[in-house]
């Protein structure tokens, strides 16, 4: 079992590295219900707009909740969030633009504009868990060593932070892990291959 | 965090193609907004840069202006690019269904034009610019890079104008930050560049504090009480080892929307015991999104030379909570606080010590 708290969430399966928790479900709404059930050990989260959210947002929110559960000494204090690579906002951009072209200025949907920022899924994860640390998206060449370097910089710029939740989000999967200054991220081109290389995300 | 020197600053915006030109516009309180011809802006004026004719993305032309004026960069310089939409006009023109990565396209172009081997895109909505500066400072502080080029850039486009219009955030007249009569923002475009170094003998300014936070309350509206922005400012002051009354000037985010300005003024009134000079560039340049934080920092050293902040353009009746801040213009100390606020509830504060 990996010693770094990490989770993967797809549209039908989810898994956490530390606790060994896993689930299968028909869709993300069903997973949300499982996590929010009365007797659930998962932290309570604000998922008010879940039904209307983009897949990238829903995957990031659910990954954040499971990651908090997978992290033994979970505490939202002194925690920052970093989004890294994945598919960024390119699918959201196209969806918003095609809607605008099809419907015009007066009837285009504002709700599709907001997710055109690549930081939105992790901001929604911050809202879900009431995390108030810095939140940003970084895009670099596909190499976790570069990510590791940036995470060190995030701590160097703000010494009050002692934990970073790091997310890689695509419309099909989200991998998130808990980074502290002693964490060495496995070398890989993306977080799925770093933490869950055998998981089928199709 | 160690003190990180800024050894070069340059910027282009609607206020001027160079920093001295822009300062002239600011001190004349001009609001040079005009109707774009490169897209259908639905009768909304924008803050536009003077650009030469271009064939591909407008963002390439904007970037070319700044890159053409950069000094020779040390080989180990790391590029930090801040942008919210990148080369978004390429997506507007595409005819197929392949999702273009407009941010990566601009990052690739910036890397090619600067010849730098290492490049990172920083996206934190309209706080991207200051977040990129903070990350660059962090890399230098951590010993992972010796020189950092931070570029903040965003263009005007139908994509963004339509989005902000649909959110009801666009002014029907002019941007009036901190004014009772404010009714929204006008969009602008710009590009700013800063060169940060591990050490320098006579820097333009020195970054002495960088902090950021998330309200975690609403995805598009800031927390009107400004609670987390206030904490971000306090943390930044502590990092800089300063008390609030030691600040010489505040470069606010000041978009001119009801929500932004309300949150920002609440935070400033909670932290600052007696009013300090406050100014928002966005009344003159428009909201330049990912570029705005870099522009604020790039203009600060020249503002210090003037010894006072420009008059606040567009203001008719200052908000009660802003009145004293806007009345004061004389800069009495070299410490500048610069603020950015972005969608997602993002807050960013930077404190600079500007050379006198």
């Amino acid at each position: 079992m990996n010693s770094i708290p990490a989770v993967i969430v797809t549209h039908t399966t989810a898994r956490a590295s530390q606790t060994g928790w896993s689930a299968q479900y028909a869709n993300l709404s069903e997973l949300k219900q499982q996590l929010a059930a009365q007797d659930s050990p998962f932290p309570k989260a604000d998922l008010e707009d879940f039904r209307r959210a983009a897949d990238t947002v829903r995957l990031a929110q659910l990954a954040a909740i499971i990651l908090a559960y997978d992290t033994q000494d979970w505490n939202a204090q002194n925690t920052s969030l970093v989004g890294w690579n994945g598919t960024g906002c390119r699918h959201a951009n196209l969806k918003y633009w095609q809607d605008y072209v099809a419907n015009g200025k007066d009837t285009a949907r504002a709700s599709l504009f907001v997710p055109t920022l690549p930081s939105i899924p992790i901001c929604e994860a911050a809202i879900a868990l009431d995390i108030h640390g810095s939140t940003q998206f970084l895009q670099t060449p596909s190499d976790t060593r570069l990510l590791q370097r940036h995470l060190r910089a995030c701590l160097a710029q703000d010494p009050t932070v002692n934990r970073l939740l790091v997310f890689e989000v695509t419309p099909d999967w989200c991998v998130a892990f808990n980074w502290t200054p002693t964490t060495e991220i496995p070398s890989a081109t993306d977080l799925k291959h770093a933490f869950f290389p055998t998981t089928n995300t199709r | 965090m160690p003190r990180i020197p800024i050894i070069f600053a340059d910027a282009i915006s609607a206020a001027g193609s160079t920093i001295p030109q822009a300062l002239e516009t600011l001190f004349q309180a001009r609001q040079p907004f005009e109707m774009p011809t490169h897209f259908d802006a639905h009768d909304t004026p924008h803050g536009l840069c003077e650009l030469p004719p271009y064939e591909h993305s407008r963002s390439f032309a904007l970037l070319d202006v700044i890159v053409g004026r950069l000094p020779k960069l040390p080989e180990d310089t790391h590029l930090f690019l801040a942008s919210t939409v990148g080369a978004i006009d390429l997506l507007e023109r595409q005819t197929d269904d392949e999702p273009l990565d407009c941010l990566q396209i601009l990052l690739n172009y910036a890397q090619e034009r600067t010849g730098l081997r290492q490049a990172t895109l920083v996206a934190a909505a309209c706080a991207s610019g200051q977040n990129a500066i903070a990350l660059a400072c962090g890399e230098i502080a951590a010993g992972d890079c010796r020189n950092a080029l931070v570029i903040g850039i965003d263009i005007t486009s139908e994509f963004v104008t339509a989005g902000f219009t649909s959110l009801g955030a666009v002014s029907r007249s002019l941007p009036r930050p901190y004014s009772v009569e404010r009714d929204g923002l006008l969009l602008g475009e710009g590009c700013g560049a800063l060169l940060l170094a591990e050490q320098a003998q006579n820097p333009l300014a020195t970054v002495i504090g960088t902090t950021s936070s998330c309200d975690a309350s609403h995805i598009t509206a800031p927390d009107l009480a400004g609670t987390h922005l206030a904490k971000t400012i306090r943390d930044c002051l502590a990092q800089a080892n300063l008390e609030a009354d030691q600040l010489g000037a505040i470069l606010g985010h000041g978009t001119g929307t009801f929500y932004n300005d309300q949150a920002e003024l609440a935070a400033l009134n909670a932290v600052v015991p007696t009013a300090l000079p406050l100014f928002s560039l966005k009344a003159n340049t428009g909201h330049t999104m990912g570029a705005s934080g870099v522009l604020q920092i790039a203009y600060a050293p020249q503002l210090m030379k003037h010894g006072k902040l420009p008059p606040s353009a567009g203001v008719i009746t200052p908000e009660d909570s802003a009145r004293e801040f806007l009345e004061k213009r004389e800069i009495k100390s070299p410490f500048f606080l610069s603020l950015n606020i972005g969608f997602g509830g993002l807050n960013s504060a930077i404190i600079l010590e500007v050379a006198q």
Side-chain angles (χ1 to χ4, degrees):
Chain A
M1 201 172 289
N2 199 320
S3 62
I4 304 169
V7 303
I8 184 165
V9 179
T10 74
H11 286 271
T12 53
T13 61
R15 194 146 63 92
S17 68
Q18 290 295 284
T19 54
W21 176 89
S22 66
Q24 292 194 335
Y25 39 85
N27 53 50
L28 294 176
S29 295
E30 194 177 303
L31 174 60
K32 178 203 161 198
Q33 284 167 6
Q34 283 183 31
L35 302 184
Q38 283 285 335
D39 55 351
S40 160
F42 292 89
K44 295 299 166 217
D46 175 0
L47 296 176
E48 199 182 330
D49 295 325
F50 187 83
R51 196 170 54 83
R52 290 192 295 275
D55 282 346
T56 49
V57 167
R58 297 199 290 174
L59 288 163
Q61 287 177 321
L62 297 173
I65 296 165
I66 301 167
L67 182 60
Y69 166 72
D70 200 49
T71 303
Q72 274 192 336
D73 56 344
W74 169 248
N75 183 343
Q77 296 292 312
N78 305 325
T79 298
S80 288
L81 290 89
V82 173
W84 180 63
N85 286 3
T87 50
C89 56
R90 56 183 182 259
H91 292 94
N93 283 351
L94 187 64
K95 190 172 177 183
Y96 161 73
W97 183 248
Q98 288 179 335
D99 180 73
Y100 171 75
V101 170
N103 297 307
K105 171 176 160 274
D106 296 324
T107 48
R109 288 174 288 173
S111 60
L112 295 180
F113 176 62
V114 179
T116 63
L117 294 163
S119 46
I120 289 298
I122 45 168
C123 289
E124 292 279 19
I127 293 171
L129 288 178
D130 201 28
I131 297 171
H132 296 282
S134 73
T135 302
Q136 61 190 327
F137 172 83
L138 307 176
Q139 193 152 306
T140 73
S142 303
D143 183 344
T144 52
R145 285 171 302 181
L146 293 171
L147 172 63
Q148 173 98 9
R149 173 176 154 170
H150 286 322
L151 299 181
R152 276 199 303 269
C154 289
L155 285 202
Q157 82 192 51
D158 187 352
T160 64
V161 173
N162 53 30
R163 183 205 307 280
L164 294 165
L165 304 188
V166 186
F167 296 75
E168 184 167 10
V169 192
T170 76
D172 299 321
W173 55 265
C174 173
V175 172
F177 72 99
N178 184 336
W179 189 87
T180 63
T182 56
T183 307
E184 278 298 324
I185 310 169
S187 181
T189 55
D190 62 39
L191 296 186
K192 188 175 108 51
H193 286 96
F195 292 106
F196 299 97
T198 59
T199 301
N200 184 0
T201 51
R202 297 268 165 169
Chain B
M1 192 191 81
R3 298 159 59 90
I4 308 294
I6 298 174
I7 57 173
F8 172 83
D10 196 0
I12 173 173
S13 72
S17 294
T18 63
I19 294 177
Q21 279 176 18
L23 269 276
E24 223 176 288
T25 301
L26 303 188
F27 278 95
Q28 290 168 357
R30 286 200 293 118
Q31 296 187 279
F33 294 97
E34 55 187 311
M35 216 56 76
T37 54
H38 60 285
F39 68 94
D40 178 4
H42 300 287
D43 298 327
T44 307
H46 286 65
L48 302 174
C49 294
E50 271 187 42
L51 294 177
Y54 57 91
E55 282 181 17
H56 299 291
S57 170
R58 188 171 178 85
S59 64
F60 294 179
L62 190 51
L63 189 88
D64 283 343
V65 172
I66 287 293
V67 171
R69 303 196 303 225
L70 288 174
K72 184 170 166 44
L73 299 170
E75 209 173 282
D76 59 356
T77 304
H78 191 133
L79 170 65
F80 294 85
L81 186 80
S83 183
T84 63
V85 289
I88 197 68
D89 49 350
L90 298 182
L91 179 137
E92 292 175 353
R93 296 201 295 265
Q94 80 172 95
T95 51
D96 57 20
D97 283 345
E98 183 60 33
L100 283 183
D101 191 341
C102 297
L103 289 167
Q104 186 66 49
I105 290 169
L106 182 58
L107 183 65
N108 291 345
Y109 185 75
Q111 200 170 358
E112 182 191 315
R113 287 289 285 112
T114 56
L116 298 177
R117 282 185 295 120
Q118 302 183 79
T120 299
L121 175 95
V122 182
C126 296
S128 298
Q130 290 204 172
N131 271 50
I133 295 166
L135 187 69
C137 288
E139 287 248 335
I140 292 172
D144 283 326
C145 104
R146 295 178 60 198
N147 302 284
L149 174 66
V150 181
I151 295 180
I153 177 169
D154 264 320
I155 55 168
T156 51
S157 65
E158 187 166 1
F159 183 100
V160 175
T161 298
F164 273 94
T165 303
S166 66
L167 289 168
V170 175
S171 171
R172 286 180 295 277
S173 57
L174 287 167
R176 306 186 190 285
Y178 314 124
S179 180
V180 171
E181 294 80 3
R182 68 187 185 277
D183 69 343
L185 56 82
L186 286 185
L187 289 159
E189 60 193 4
C191 182
L194 302 168
L195 188 56
L196 282 62
E198 197 176 26
Q199 291 178 328
Q201 287 202 324
N202 297 302
L204 296 170
T206 305
V207 181
I208 58 174
T210 65
T211 48
S212 55
S213 68
C214 181
D215 290 341
S217 62
H218 191 276
I219 204 65
T220 52
D223 163 26
L224 287 180
T227 310
H228 292 282
L229 178 58
K231 182 180 182 302
T232 304
I233 298 169
R234 284 193 194 97
D235 290 347
C236 201
L237 285 163
Q239 209 180 87
N241 203 17
L242 291 175
E243 298 295 330
D245 57 9
Q246 290 178 272
L247 293 170
I250 301 166
L251 299 176
H253 193 66
T255 59
T257 62
F258 172 79
Y259 289 101
N260 175 90
D261 294 8
Q262 176 96 343
E264 196 173 5
L265 290 170
L268 287 173
N269 278 283
V271 176
V272 180
T274 50
L276 294 163
L278 169 67
F279 177 73
S280 168
L281 272 180
K282 294 180 183 69
N284 312 88
T285 63
H287 190 351
T288 56
M289 302 171 290
S292 73
V294 179
L295 293 183
Q296 285 168 208
I297 303 296
Y299 288 153
Q302 288 292 326
L303 290 170
M304 186 73 220
K305 283 191 180 151
H306 281 255
K308 61 180 181 179
L309 291 183
S312 291
V315 174
I316 300 171
T317 315
E319 277 286 355
D320 282 346
S321 55
R323 188 178 305 278
E324 287 184 43
F325 285 89
L326 298 182
E327 280 170 4
K328 293 194 174 177
R329 290 177 49 205
E330 193 185 344
I331 303 169
K332 291 183 176 167
S333 99
F335 303 113
F336 277 62
L337 169 68
S338 180
L339 302 175
N340 270 178
I341 297 174
F343 277 171
L346 303 180
N347 306 303
S348 161
I350 286 182
I351 296 179
L352 284 183
E353 182 175 1
V354 182
Q356 297 185 72

